[in-house]
Amino acid sequence: MATLIAGLIGLLLVVFGALVFGVLLAMWRGFVIQNLWNWLIVPTFAFRTLNIAQAFALSFVVGVMVGAHKFSNKKASKADGIELFGHLLSGAMALLVGWIVKTYWL
């Protein structure tokens, strides 16, 4: 009985951790898109600025259109963690390049 309860608690912690990480990753993507849009698109094309909710929605819509949101039944592996780290790092690199362009060319 104690191992069953411990297993359920462990499962709940994993699910909760995955949800929290997913929300944080979505917020990070929204933040990246918001800043890149406001730094580069607004001054170049005179479009309106985006808030973070609009940037998140834009990210989601574009992801659905290009098929970025795919679900699979494969088991989790070490490569999945590396892929998630790559998503975080690519956002940081995009922000760096966008900041350089905004600062020195616009």
Side-chain angles (χ1 to χ4, degrees), residues 36-52:
L36 290 175
W37 181 277
N38 292 339
W39 288 345
L40 305 174
I41 301 298
V42 171
T44 304
F45 300 108
F47 287 173
R48 292 175 39 180
T49 60
L50 291 180
N51 62 31
I52 197 159

Side-chain angles (χ1 to χ4, degrees), residues 9-89:
I9 290 173
L11 179 64
L12 286 174
L13 287 175
V14 167
V15 169
F16 180 73
L19 287 173
V20 168
F21 186 76
V23 168
L24 291 176
L25 186 61
M27 289 172 59
W28 171 247
R29 288 182 63 185
F31 176 76
V32 168
I33 289 175
Q34 176 194 17
N35 282 303
L36 290 175
W37 181 277
N38 292 339
W39 288 345
L40 305 174
I41 301 298
V42 171
T44 304
F45 300 108
F47 287 173
R48 292 175 39 180
T49 60
L50 291 180
N51 62 31
I52 197 159
Q54 293 168 325
F56 169 73
L58 180 65
S59 168
F60 181 75
V61 169
V62 170
V64 168
M65 292 171 100
V66 299
H69 302 288
K70 295 179 183 172
F71 299 101
S72 67
N73 292 333
K74 68 176 186 155
K75 291 187 176 184
S77 68
K78 197 173 193 178
D80 293 335
I82 294 170
E83 183 179 347
L84 288 174
F85 180 72
H87 285 295
L88 293 173
L89 189 61

